[in-house]
């Protein structure tokens, strides 16, 4: 044990020396546009995935309370033994309808949805063609399966075609293209029209992880397939209930009925991990009610994002271009980004700096994320503080 502990300490020191130690920021309040830190300070929060501001919405909380009373605290079971309530089935049907698919399977998390997908559907005879910047859960899911792996350069359709050809020449039986719908570090929306066209040309299946899109992207907020006018054209969608759809936890995979049936038979995180707690399921249903009954939250998010992006640009900052509420401010060196994030926090603005290895070397950034819970005044305050922080002594 002591040799092992020495080894662990050594690893921690290596992480720390490289400047890669991650420290949790402890929050002493509910999630929202503003949060209270442990030292009692109330700060503006620009780094949650709370896109529609539903994480602390009164209707979502009410629904969760009611479900706690009606359906209990938890199921103490996996889905197929005694962990499926009518409530779970209602959410699965509701998500299928919302996403424009035939059927949906709930998972404890989107991480698990991705973890239980590839291994269940593909074998060593098949191939996965994956964007190099895909989320860790897609990468791990692919690692668990025996299919051959091909990686294409980020959102690079010429390279995707090269890899599809390579997979075909290698004699793969089924080909599956896997991509994030929106890439979290850049806010880039995947080029799904080209992906779908190439998939048709090379007879490949398509899988899109839409965690940063479900609920708000596209004319009806269905996600990146809605944004691109491709509802019904993506074979497999995975997503989370932990971001725009209420922000608690839980995930899903959605697609063709037979494929979902096979996941229910074989997918390990579905078979061997607990059901989503009833209050969370009810909260997600309330979130869907809210965003399907009115486009107000989505429109507010769009307007606020445009306001924020143009305000930052007016300060002379370099942004990753786009329209997604993920708005990365590009700062280059890691310590420049770190030091600016620290100064902003001192001024009551909570943002996070990301540096290598999370993003490429020399491309350090502060990733800001807009929420429908923000007000225009919140963003104006943040812009004012940002302008001042730029001239604060580092
Ligand atoms: C957040 C995220 C996940 C993980 O979602 P959980 O439900 O929290 O496990 C998976 N994929 C992508 C692209 C994400 O952004």
């Amino acid at each position: 044990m002591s040799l092992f502990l020495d080894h662990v300490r050594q690893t921690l020191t290596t992480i720390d020396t490289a400047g890669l130690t991650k420290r949790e920021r402890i929050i002493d309040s509910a999630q929202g546009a503003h949060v209270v830190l442990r030292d009692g300070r109330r700060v503006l929060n620009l780094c949650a995935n709370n896109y529609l501001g539903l994480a602390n919405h009164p209707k979502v909380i009410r629904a969760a309370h009611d479900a706690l009373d009606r359906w209990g605290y938890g199921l103490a079971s996996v889905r197929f033994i005694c962990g499926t309530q009518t409530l779970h089935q209602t959410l699965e049907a509701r998500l299928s309808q919302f996403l424009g698919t035939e059927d949906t399977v709930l998972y404890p998390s989107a991480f698990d949805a991705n973890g239980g997908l590839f291994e269940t559907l593909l074998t060593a005879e098949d191939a996965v063609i994956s964007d190099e910047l895909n989320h860790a859960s897609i990468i791990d899911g692919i690692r668990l399966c025996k299919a051959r792996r091909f990686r294409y350069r980020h959102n690079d359709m010429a390279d995707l075609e090269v890899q599809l050809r390579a997979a075909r020449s290698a004699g793969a039986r089924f080909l599956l293209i896997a991509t994030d719908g929106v890439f979290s570090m850049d806010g880039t929306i995947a080029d799904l029209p080209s992906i779908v066209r190439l998939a048709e040309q090379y007879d490949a299946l398509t899988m899109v992880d839409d965690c940063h899109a479900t609920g708000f992207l596209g004319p009806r907020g269905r996600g990146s397939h809605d944004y691109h006018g491709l509802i019904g054209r993506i074979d497999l969608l995975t997503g989370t209930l932990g971001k725009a759809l209420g922000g608690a936890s839980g995930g899903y995979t959605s697609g063709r009925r037979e494929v979902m049936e096979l996941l229910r038979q074989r997918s390990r995180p579905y078979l061997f991990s607990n059901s989503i707690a009833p209050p969370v399921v009810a909260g997600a249903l309330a979130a869907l009610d809210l965003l399907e009954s009115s486009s107000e939250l989505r429109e507010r998010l769009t307007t606020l994002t445009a306001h924020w992006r143009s305000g930052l640009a007016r300060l002379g900052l370099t942004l990753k271009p786009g329209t997604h509420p993920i708005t990365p401010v590009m700062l280059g060196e890691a310590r420049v980004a770190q030091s600016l994030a620290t100064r902003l926090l001192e001024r009551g603005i909570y943002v996070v700096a990301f540096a290598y290895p999370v993003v490429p070397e020399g491309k350090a950034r502060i990733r800001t994320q807009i929420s429908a819970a923000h007000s225009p005044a919140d963003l104006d305050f943040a812009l004012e503080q940002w302008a001042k922080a730029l001239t604060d002594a580092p």
Side-chain angles (χ1 to χ4, degrees):
M1 186 64 184
S2 84
L3 263 181
F4 175 68
L5 280 181
D6 282 346
H7 163 74
V8 170
R9 286 186 199 111
Q10 182 61 49
T11 307
L12 287 170
T13 308
T14 311
I15 292 171
D16 204 45
T17 314
L20 298 177
T21 300
K22 293 188 254 314
R23 291 194 170 79
E24 293 177 343
R25 172 96 46 214
I26 315 292
I27 290 167
D28 202 28
S29 68
Q31 183 61 275
H34 296 86
V35 291
V36 176
L37 303 182
R38 196 154 58 173
D39 63 11
R41 281 196 310 137
R42 185 170 175 273
V43 296
L44 179 65
N45 185 5
L46 287 174
C47 52
N49 303 311
N50 187 20
Y51 295 114
L52 294 174
L54 301 182
N56 197 28
H57 191 286
K59 288 193 175 157
V60 175
I61 292 175
R62 184 73 258 154
H65 270 292
D66 292 347
L68 196 54
D69 294 337
R70 163 74 173 82
W71 301 96
Y73 172 63
L75 269 304
S77 169
V78 301
R79 288 285 303 280
F80 82 98
I81 296 180
C82 52
T84 300
Q85 295 169 318
T86 39
L87 190 65
H88 295 82
Q89 287 196 312
T90 303
L91 179 57
E92 288 181 334
R94 189 68 188 278
L95 281 168
S96 308
Q97 191 189 23
F98 181 70
L99 299 167
T101 54
E102 290 178 5
D103 196 8
T104 299
V105 180
L106 292 176
Y107 281 86
S109 69
F111 206 106
D112 284 329
N114 289 333
L117 183 70
F118 302 93
E119 180 206 31
T120 308
L121 303 181
L122 303 175
T123 71
E125 288 178 76
D126 307 314
V128 186
I129 302 96
S130 172
D131 187 292
E132 66 180 348
L133 291 192
N134 276 345
H135 190 263
S137 56
I138 299 180
I139 296 169
D140 285 9
I142 293 172
R143 276 188 191 144
L144 288 171
C145 104
K146 296 202 166 61
R148 292 197 50 181
R149 299 164 203 170
F150 296 83
R151 255 187 358 164
Y152 62 96
R153 281 196 295 275
H154 174 50
N155 215 17
D156 179 336
M157 295 301 117
D159 195 38
L160 171 57
E161 182 157 17
V162 169
Q163 302 306 325
L164 283 164
R165 276 212 200 102
R168 273 282 163 242
S169 336
R173 177 184 54 169
F174 303 126
L175 271 51
L176 173 62
I177 305 170
T179 184
D180 282 20
V182 171
F183 291 85
S184 63
M185 284 300 139
D186 297 324
T188 308
I189 303 169
D191 183 359
L192 296 186
S194 302
I195 290 175
V196 166
R197 188 174 47 73
L198 286 168
E200 276 166 8
Q201 194 178 332
Y202 289 86
D203 193 21
L205 300 159
T206 49
M207 175 273 183
V208 174
D209 172 344
D210 235 1
C211 283
H212 285 285
T214 314
F216 61 97
L217 206 65
R220 293 187 301 161
R222 265 67 169 159
S224 58
H225 60 327
D226 186 17
Y227 176 85
H228 284 301
L230 290 169
I231 288 190
R233 305 282 301 280
I234 305 297
D235 297 304
L236 293 158
L237 285 168
T238 62
T240 186
L241 309 179
K243 288 176 177 137
L245 298 185
S249 66
Y252 60 83
T253 301
S254 199
R256 290 293 293 266
R257 193 173 311 285
E258 304 86 326
V259 182
M260 297 309 107
E261 184 52 30
L262 183 56
L263 292 176
R264 286 197 172 86
Q265 298 308 314
R266 295 262 177 86
S267 181
R268 294 164 71 82
Y270 166 84
L271 289 170
F272 300 114
S273 190
N274 217 24
S275 289
I276 304 181
V280 175
V281 179
L285 281 165
L288 286 165
D289 282 343
L290 278 164
L291 66 97
E292 284 194 297
S293 64
S294 152
S295 56
E296 188 201 329
L297 292 173
R298 211 157 61 240
E299 280 160 17
R300 189 185 307 164
L301 180 61
T302 305
T303 310
L304 288 167
T305 299
H307 182 64
W308 179 240
R309 282 180 173 263
S310 64
L312 288 173
R314 267 199 305 281
L315 295 181
L317 295 162
T318 307
L319 310 181
K320 277 269 174 184
T323 54
H324 196 276
I326 293 175
T327 309
V329 180
M330 306 304 288
L331 295 155
E333 292 308 312
R335 55 191 167 71
V336 174
Q338 286 298 356
S339 138
L340 181 57
T342 305
R343 274 149 32 216
L344 282 165
L345 188 64
E346 283 161 9
R347 293 182 162 281
I349 313 295
Y350 181 25
V351 290
V352 173
F354 291 91
Y356 183 79
V358 179
V359 296
E361 220 152 349
K363 299 243 165 105
R365 66 199 65 181
I366 288 178
R367 179 183 70 173
T368 60
Q369 290 169 282
I370 300 306
S371 163
H374 292 133
S375 69
D378 289 335
L379 300 187
D380 289 338
F381 172 73
L383 289 167
E384 205 178 291
Q385 297 309 312
W386 204 301
K388 290 180 181 159
L390 288 173
T391 58
D392 287 343

